[in-house]
Amino acid sequence: MSKHPRGGGFLLALLDQGFEQEKPLYLVNPNADEIQGLTCYPSLLDTPGPVDHVISSVPARAVEGLIEQSIEKGVRSIHFYTAGFAEIGDPELAALQDRLMARAVDAGIRVIGPNCMGLYVPREKIAFQNNFPPEPGNVMAISQSGGNAMDIVFGLALRGVRFSKLVSFGNASDVAAPELFDYAAEDPETEYVISYLEGADGGRALFEAVRRCARIKPTIILKGGLTSAGARAASSHTGSLAGSRDVFEAMCRQTGAIRAATMTELHDLLIGVSTNLRRVQGPRAMMVGGGGGFSVLAADAMANVGVDLPELAEQTTAELRRLMPVAGNSIRNPIDASHFHSGDAREDSLREVLRVAAHAPDIDALFVTTGSAPSWIDPPAPGQKPDPERERRRAERRLLAEKQSMQDLIDLQAEAERPVIGVRRARGVERWLTDEVLELAYAHGLAVFPSLPRAARTLGRLLEWRARREGLPELF
Amino acid sequence: MSKHPRGGGFLLALLDQGFEQEKPLYLVNPNADEIQGLTCYPSLLDTPGPVDHVISSVPARAVEGLIEQSIEKGVRSIHFYTAGFAEIGDPELAALQDRLMARAVDAGIRVIGPNCMGLYVPREKIAFQNNFPPEPGNVMAISQSGGNAMDIVFGLALRGVRFSKLVSFGNASDVAAPELFDYAAEDPETEYVISYLEGADGGRALFEAVRRCARIKPTIILKGGLTSAGARAASSHTGSLAGSRDVFEAMCRQTGAIRAATMTELHDLLIGVSTNLRRVQGPRAMMVGGGGGFSVLAADAMANVGVDLPELAEQTTAELRRLMPVAGNSIRNPIDASHFHSGDAREDSLREVLRVAAHAPDIDALFVTTGSAPSWIDPPAPGQKPDPERERRRAERRLLAEKQSMQDLIDLQAEAERPVIGVRRARGVERWLTDEVLELAYAHGLAVFPSLPRAARTLGRLLEWRARREGLPELF
């Protein structure tokens, strides 16, 4: 085995988790006797027990032999990492893919790929990256691209989401999108479905499967290749025919699915449908926090996506005026509570302001900024050089403050009569809540976004989507 | 002094830096004899030497007295944090602001504010946050909002940018945007100008000042309050009359300034104009890196903002075919070089691919993914628990790899005949380059963005802007 094995990630993923498997895991490699202490067999036929599933990264020229061995061995499914087929754009290679995969399928073997990352099924301890979360969840991801599947897992895992199954299916020679949407619709472990597609090859079958799935489970789809440059890239990547934006948009509209415009929006919409935010009933928002300039830009961002910040009821204004000092805070909506963020007495007042907001009449959603631990926590003394131990303690105190602030929002959510949405008050690219705090929020159904524009846009898109589902079953 | 002093940030900032000042710093507070070891005087008139500049966070009711003392003391300028004036929306408070500030101005004192954060001038060791970078730079920021000014400094400092001056001027009772743009135009320490404005009160004066500034220095402006909800918020925040989007857009078009649509875009455009990216001559891009699905979405994102990914010249394709294995890599544009990211021999090949791209004919810009250290660096052994010392060494090796990869791009930039643009291959919200690596890139004029869509959009906006400047002096 070379120092930097290709496919090392998935191999290690299996090795890491394989020891706890109920079923044995066999390694096959004609050039090694042993890998990381596990016996290596020269061929599939030399493995000592029955084999259900083969994970293959053999080169394209060795695929035919492996299929013949798999048929002889009674294998039920093969996942091919192997690339070099239809995606090359050479008709001979496309024909070779068709012939080889048909040979497997005709013999009763299901094929995933070729040219894909395959399966991530945490409950079965199968993963193609050794740093995917080991805990199972309730989101199924259907992704033609393995790299984009990794973006989905890493991006959402940070925010507390966990997965029931993920299938990266590449050139889709056998297992393809329509069947996977049907699986997702029926799978009791799956409550939400997200998908990255390149091909629209399935045509009617894809439409019908998405319709069956989106009818009963929130289904969000990001489609790559909707511009001509993107379509050209999709053809090189998975040999897909990409289809037009209009057709795809119409499919989402007619099936009740949600189209995500970007990978970021795919993540945000999943947070939207799988937290209390999904229950939002209208566009009338209230915002508390942030500071004046932030409030101005927040109001602009909301207006641009159809979210209103109505004038508050007189009763609400009167209650707020009682709680807030006049100077330096706006009690008009958005409410600039930035001056509350220093000192315990002020924090208590902020809680009271939030309680008023939680019950204000004629408000559908409450945006609250969160995440910046107060800057007064243990600042370095003047002229003092940073001390690692002090910095560590400071980080601990900041984490505690972050957690307390998130717990306050969780409590507020429990009492509020509308969704509460936590929004990062952005200070540069890097600052964001720690994984632990984001997971705490998500576990309590609280939607949290890394910026106000993303939060507002998600709310706007969810409202559009709910309006379009008129006539379909209520999902929430 | 209370445990959590209001305004503690700015006070500490001055204390931190004040000891090195050539001029003395006097603290004034009637309720303390000493703060952090420095003598505290009961009133401005009790300070032992002359005072040029007063930084004031007295409550609104004490402003009049402070102004009278300042006149008596011969003070030249006052910055008022103090809020509670025109931004409240009460005509009496607005009239009070007018009267008090006119008293100061008529006595020859310049006033910054009220209701603002004031000055950040690193060369003079003045800052209103103790974690602003102490080193001076070449960007001047003109921001009506103090909180948004902090977003500008923190967001751009991470990416290597440093500032000549920053002025947060709040209610703009005296020092206001037109004068600050004129200052920026003439200031020899300022090469680039960015601004967050709420009011368009200046009218013709603002237009003329922006024109004088934008004519000779890249000038980027984010305007808050361009929707009716935003305008309402701006009025509560700085008492500004916000004006319409059309008028503001026309002002930018006619003056040669760039309008940023969001805070994020303000940051990205500054990176664009202050790196080699500003020299881009047209929309024909080439992209190397990423992986197949990423390439598909990248192509879509570029097409959406008018950036082309043309088919490559035959000669380029032939050279790439020689360098790249057929399976698993696309040599069409975008070039999927993801399979190169493991192993030293592969890295050498990637360098050669990039060299071909650097000299390919008919290409205006070269996008290259960067920032993910290869995952094969010292992975944890199977079944092993994380070991802090091992993790530390691993982090060190990853940082080294990140630096080497950035240095490769810097070298490529030096040899390429077009701008090179580093783009993060996004894996979740959190992953980004370390400050050190971003600063290295920026110091060498290399533009780096946290996502492909943001990089592409910046390029598209710069091209639009250059086209609109027809007839104005060449800036680069």
Side-chain angles (χ1 to χ4, degrees), chain B residues 151-317:
Chain B
D151 288 345
I152 290 172
V153 175
F154 290 130
L156 284 171
L158 275 179
R159 296 168 79 175
V161 175
R162 294 296 182 268
F163 297 84
S164 54
K165 280 101 184 176
L166 181 151
V167 187
S168 149
F169 59 97
N171 291 9
S173 68
D174 175 21
V175 170
E179 185 176 7
L180 293 168
F181 280 105
D182 277 334
Y183 180 95
E186 285 167 26
D187 178 28
E189 294 175 346
T190 295
E191 289 180 54
Y192 310 102
V193 183
I194 57 178
S195 179
Y196 170 75
L197 296 181
E198 289 185 359
D201 310 330
R204 195 74 209 172
L206 180 64
F207 180 91
E208 293 298 344
V210 170
R211 177 148 75 178
R212 284 187 291 269
C213 184
R215 185 179 164 79
I216 54 171
K217 297 183 181 178
T219 301
I220 313 164
I221 309 177
L222 169 62
K223 176 72 176 61
L226 292 181
T227 62
S228 59
R232 201 150 41 82
S235 151
S236 298
H237 179 218
T238 50
S240 296
L241 290 170
S244 84
R245 184 192 308 247
D246 287 351
V247 169
F248 189 73
E249 183 65 47
M251 181 183 96
C252 290
R253 204 169 48 241
Q254 289 169 30
T255 57
I258 320 175
R259 179 171 92 83
T262 63
M263 180 57 75
T264 301
E265 192 169 289
L266 186 70
H267 295 190
D268 286 346
L269 286 169
L270 191 277
I271 296 292
V273 299
S274 64
T275 58
N276 288 321
L277 179 50
R278 64 192 169 189
R279 302 214 171 81
V280 68
Q281 293 301 317
R284 299 164 307 177
M286 187 167 169
M287 196 181 105
V288 178
F294 180 78
S295 295
V296 173
L297 294 178
D300 283 341
M302 289 190 194
N304 287 335
V305 293
V307 175
D308 302 335
L309 281 165
E311 308 252 15
L312 301 174
E314 254 179 62
Q315 167 207 348
T316 309
T317 309

Side-chain angles (χ1 to χ4, degrees), chain B residues 45-234:
Chain B
L45 296 177
D46 297 309
T47 53
V51 170
D52 292 332
H53 180 65
V54 169
I55 299 175
S56 157
S57 61
V58 299
R61 66 179 182 280
V63 163
E64 184 157 20
L66 182 64
I67 288 175
E68 295 306 328
Q69 289 182 20
S70 298
I71 294 171
E72 193 176 336
K73 185 81 183 177
V75 162
R76 299 174 61 195
S77 53
I78 311 180
H79 151 218
F80 284 108
Y81 277 93
T82 313
F85 290 108
E87 80 281 4
I88 303 296
D90 174 337
E92 278 185 36
L93 290 173
L96 178 65
Q97 171 182 310
D98 287 347
R99 184 174 65 75
L100 292 178
M101 302 306 151
R103 169 72 179 133
V105 170
D106 290 346
I109 297 175
R110 298 306 308 268
V111 173
I112 304 172
N115 185 29
C116 71
M117 295 287 198
L119 301 174
Y120 165 45
V121 187
R123 199 171 49 74
E124 299 289 340
K125 302 185 191 301
I126 292 179
F128 56 83
Q129 286 286 307
N130 56 0
N131 46 0
F132 277 2
E135 317 82 25
N138 56 6
V139 176
M140 177 160 168
I142 298 171
S143 176
Q144 210 156 349
S145 156
N148 286 351
M150 284 157 68
D151 288 345
I152 290 172
V153 175
F154 290 130
L156 284 171
L158 275 179
R159 296 168 79 175
V161 175
R162 294 296 182 268
F163 297 84
S164 54
K165 280 101 184 176
L166 181 151
V167 187
S168 149
F169 59 97
N171 291 9
S173 68
D174 175 21
V175 170
E179 185 176 7
L180 293 168
F181 280 105
D182 277 334
Y183 180 95
E186 285 167 26
D187 178 28
E189 294 175 346
T190 295
E191 289 180 54
Y192 310 102
V193 183
I194 57 178
S195 179
Y196 170 75
L197 296 181
E198 289 185 359
D201 310 330
R204 195 74 209 172
L206 180 64
F207 180 91
E208 293 298 344
V210 170
R211 177 148 75 178
R212 284 187 291 269
C213 184
R215 185 179 164 79
I216 54 171
K217 297 183 181 178
T219 301
I220 313 164
I221 309 177
L222 169 62
K223 176 72 176 61
L226 292 181
T227 62
S228 59
R232 201 150 41 82

Side-chain angles (χ1 to χ4, degrees), chain A residues 109-129:
Chain A
I109 298 176
R110 298 307 308 266
V111 173
I112 303 171
N115 185 29
C116 72
M117 295 286 197
L119 301 175
Y120 165 45
V121 187
R123 199 172 49 74
E124 299 290 341
K125 301 185 194 300
I126 292 180
F128 56 84
Q129 286 286 305

